[in-house]
Amino acid sequence: MLVTAGRRVSTDREPDHNLAFGRVLADLRRHRSLSQEKLGFDANLDRSYISLLERGKRSPTLDTIISLCRVLHIQFGDLSRLVEAKLEEMDAKEP
């Protein structure tokens, strides 16, 4: 376990921020009743990449995040706050 900027980051699994981003992305997508395929199409991304993002297996580029924000009708800052809140929620659940 590595501690970075006050946040625990496991060194033997996906970084927590990728998991948090993925969970927020999946929640937003479902809230807007979008399939992974439709979100990917509208954001000019492959459905399989959306799946990888939602499972925390990939780190999105800034261009990808901005594209997803546009399709999901959410401001970048609001998405960032949701991811931070999800990270805090996940940290609170860790032993």
Side-chain angles (χ1 to χ4, degrees), residues 24-89:
V24 168
L25 177 62
D27 289 346
L28 289 170
R29 177 182 60 77
R30 289 183 191 114
H31 180 75
R32 285 159 178 75
S33 301
L34 294 172
S35 66
Q36 288 179 342
E37 186 172 1
K38 177 67 172 154
L39 176 59
F41 180 81
D42 291 349
N44 201 28
L45 301 167
D46 192 82
R47 185 217 48 88
S48 61
Y49 184 63
I50 298 295
S51 175
L52 290 169
L53 288 172
E54 288 186 357
R55 290 183 287 136
K57 300 294 183 184
R58 293 289 182 272
S59 294
T61 65
L62 182 58
D63 288 339
T64 295
I65 295 170
I66 297 300
S67 181
L68 291 167
C69 285
R70 179 184 50 80
V71 173
L72 294 168
H73 305 288
I74 187 169
Q75 296 288 322
F76 177 78
D78 293 336
L79 177 63
S80 178
R81 282 185 280 283
L82 289 172
V83 172
E84 281 294 320
K86 182 62 74 173
L87 276 168
E88 290 174 10
E89 176 186 313

Side-chain angles (χ1 to χ4, degrees), residues 3-38:
V3 177
T4 304
R7 182 168 317 293
R8 293 178 310 231
V9 178
S10 175
T11 56
D12 59 348
R13 62 186 171 99
E14 300 301 321
D16 288 343
H17 59 272
N18 286 343
L19 291 172
F21 177 84
R23 290 178 183 171
V24 168
L25 177 62
D27 289 346
L28 289 170
R29 177 182 60 77
R30 289 183 191 114
H31 180 75
R32 285 159 178 75
S33 301
L34 294 172
S35 66
Q36 288 179 342
E37 186 172 1
K38 177 67 172 154

